[in-house]
Amino acid sequence: MGKAGITVSPLAPASFPDLPRIAGVEFASAAAGVKYQGRTDLTLIRIAKGAQIAGVFTRSATRAACVLDNQAKLAGGGGAPDGAAIIVNSGNANAFTGARGQESVDAVTGAVALALGLPATNVYSSSTGVIGEPLPHERIVDSISDLVDKLDPAGAAEAARAIMTTDTFPKGASAVIAAEGGEIRITGIAKGSGMIAPDMATMLVYIFTDAKISAPLLQDALTQGLGSSFNAITVDSDTSTSDALLLAATGQSPAAEILSLDDPAGRAFIRALHGVMLELAHLVVRDGEGATKFVEIRVTGAASDEDARKVASAIANSPLVKTAIAGEDANWGRIVMAVGKSGAAADRDRLTIRFGDMVLAENGWRAPDYDERAASAYMKNQELLIAVDMGLGQGAQTMWTCDLTHGYIDINADYRS
């Protein structure tokens, strides 16, 4: 069972991974009672002096005060010579809360800055949960001294649990790179289950590395990985007001400094970072609200990458496609529908549709050897591949989604209760 007796997603990994500690990063979690009673809902992360910070955020026009505050702070360059901190609460998004929203952000980040001896400009905050409710920031402020006392380099797993809302399992991923002079470690945690759609960010994500790397290079490495990870997943086509991804490099690895993303060291770092990003993104889809199927949508042969993305998104976000998947119905006609409505260039007679290795439709018609029984049997798998070749060009895009079940309604019909 997950938090508050919630049944864990059938797509969840067997256990939380053993994440490598990152030199210069400490975590602490507490139960502040922001919304939930009897469970951790607050996390403090302290990052050592000399760190470099990068980030990406939701582009929602109604984004929360904490997101706006973080964006303003990162506009200063991302360097943290005096160190930095991240404070995260679950249960309340502090979004659409008027001027009080910024007052709450200032109160929380100011209290963290005072407790840790940091400039407030280096304290980042995140809030996730109900929109439109004033944040009871006094409860957070009152918990900060307890958090400071409990800071621990081994606290990532508990932090991953504390930032959960409708999540059924905590999410973590890591990588270790053999580099010149020693290892470089990367550890990440995330939360996300609903209100997930490509428009960076799509959740709360915190990634840490001990690499020596400048903030501009760190930001570039992060941005390069978005299109194939966090901006390539969708649960319900909805974009949150509050979501953020923060990436911190402490520079405490013995490995040589990464001076370019185009040399072997830089390319190895990017591969590892993007691998962690993709794994976390997949975990969010696997915990999609009510999900029972993990679905890869692979579009090739489009007139352009942009067209391929339109097609993949139309399929991944279609309620008709997603409910057919939930019902284990091999209704490939709904894929045809989604391609047609996507706005991408399409030619009926060049289109090929596959479920797994099976060709269902090609050359403008059902495939000659189409086997309804085999297609229906395939749909019973927990992990599915829907592949569409447009037959028009070289454009390609892969996205990941989940099915749409009654469980999604059950979770969201009484989310505020």
Side-chain angles (χ1 to χ4, degrees):
M1 301 291 282
K3 279 193 172 182
I6 295 173
T7 301
V8 174
S9 167
L11 304 172
S15 62
F16 189 81
D18 184 14
L19 299 177
R21 300 183 187 185
I22 304 298
V25 181
E26 301 168 281
F27 306 83
S29 302
V34 173
K35 174 189 175 185
Y36 309 110
Q37 300 300 316
R39 56 175 270 190
T40 54
D41 60 358
L42 187 62
T43 287
L44 176 65
I45 305 167
R46 178 165 62 185
I47 305 163
K49 293 180 179 180
Q52 304 292 312
I53 314 293
V56 286
F57 304 90
T58 180
R59 292 177 293 202
S60 167
T62 55
R63 54 195 181 276
C66 52
V67 173
L68 296 171
D69 186 70
N70 290 339
Q71 288 177 307
K73 288 172 176 175
L74 275 177
D82 300 314
I86 303 169
I87 181 89
V88 188
N89 75 269
S90 61
N92 184 304
N94 191 24
F96 215 74
T97 48
R100 175 166 174 164
Q102 186 61 49
E103 292 170 5
S104 293
V105 169
D106 291 342
V108 170
T109 58
V112 171
L114 182 64
L116 295 181
L118 296 172
T121 51
N122 284 0
V123 179
Y124 301 88
S125 67
S126 295
S127 296
T128 180
V130 175
I131 295 169
E133 294 287 339
L135 180 68
H137 61 254
E138 302 86 355
R139 300 176 194 174
I140 298 174
V141 171
D142 289 346
S143 300
I144 288 173
S145 61
D146 179 46
L147 287 169
V148 172
D149 290 341
K150 295 195 298 184
L151 283 165
D152 183 352
E158 186 58 28
R161 293 181 178 89
I163 64 177
M164 291 164 55
T165 51
T166 59
D167 305 58
T168 70
F169 63 88
K171 301 164 184 66
S174 65
V176 178
I177 310 162
E180 181 185 349
E183 290 182 342
I184 293 174
R185 298 181 172 194
I186 303 172
T187 277
I189 60 173
K191 68 83 54 182
S193 186
M195 206 177 285
I196 302 295
D199 194 5
M200 196 60 227
T202 53
M203 67 208 80
L204 297 184
V205 184
Y206 308 99
I207 302 176
F208 308 94
T209 178
D210 55 7
K212 295 183 181 73
I213 185 171
S214 68
L217 284 181
L218 194 66
Q219 183 69 53
D220 191 13
L222 175 61
T223 303
Q224 285 185 34
L226 297 180
S228 58
S229 60
F230 299 121
N231 273 350
I233 63 171
T234 180
V235 168
D236 50 20
S237 81
D238 287 329
T239 297
S240 175
T241 61
S242 308
D243 297 339
L245 189 167
L246 290 169
L247 168 62
T250 66
Q252 296 193 17
S253 166
E257 182 176 359
I258 296 169
L259 299 174
S260 169
L261 299 181
D262 296 322
D263 63 18
R267 289 194 294 270
F269 178 73
I270 280 183
R271 283 194 300 271
L273 174 63
H274 293 180
V276 170
M277 292 166 65
L278 182 59
E279 186 174 350
L280 291 172
H282 282 183
L283 288 171
V284 170
V285 174
R286 290 180 179 278
D287 203 13
E289 290 172 342
T292 65
K293 308 280 189 183
F294 178 80
V295 188
E296 178 177 327
I297 311 293
R298 186 184 302 165
V299 177
T300 55
S304 65
D305 287 345
E306 181 181 359
D307 267 10
R309 186 170 185 82
K310 288 178 181 178
V311 172
S313 181
I315 296 169
N317 285 322
S318 167
L320 286 175
V321 171
K322 290 160 74 72
T323 50
I325 293 169
E328 300 180 341
D329 179 8
N331 191 345
W332 55 269
R334 293 184 178 180
I335 308 301
V336 174
M337 173 278 300
V339 171
K341 76 167 186 176
S342 68
D347 183 332
R348 180 198 65 191
D349 295 336
R350 297 189 180 193
L351 195 66
T352 301
I353 298 173
R354 294 179 174 85
F355 284 5
D357 293 332
M358 291 178 290
V359 177
L360 280 66
E362 60 183 348
N363 302 320
W365 185 244
R366 186 174 64 188
D369 58 352
Y370 173 74
D371 185 335
E372 175 72 19
R373 185 177 300 176
S376 295
Y378 177 75
M379 297 302 291
K380 296 185 181 302
N381 293 323
Q382 276 195 337
E383 300 193 10
L384 301 170
L385 168 64
I386 297 174
V388 175
D389 191 290
M390 304 293 288
L392 296 176
Q394 300 301 312
Q397 175 70 54
T398 299
M399 294 185 68
W400 293 269
T401 190
C402 56
D403 54 345
L404 180 58
T405 71
H406 203 282
Y408 183 87
I409 299 172
D410 294 338
I411 291 166
N412 286 287
D414 63 354
Y415 176 65
R416 296 195 303 163
S417 63

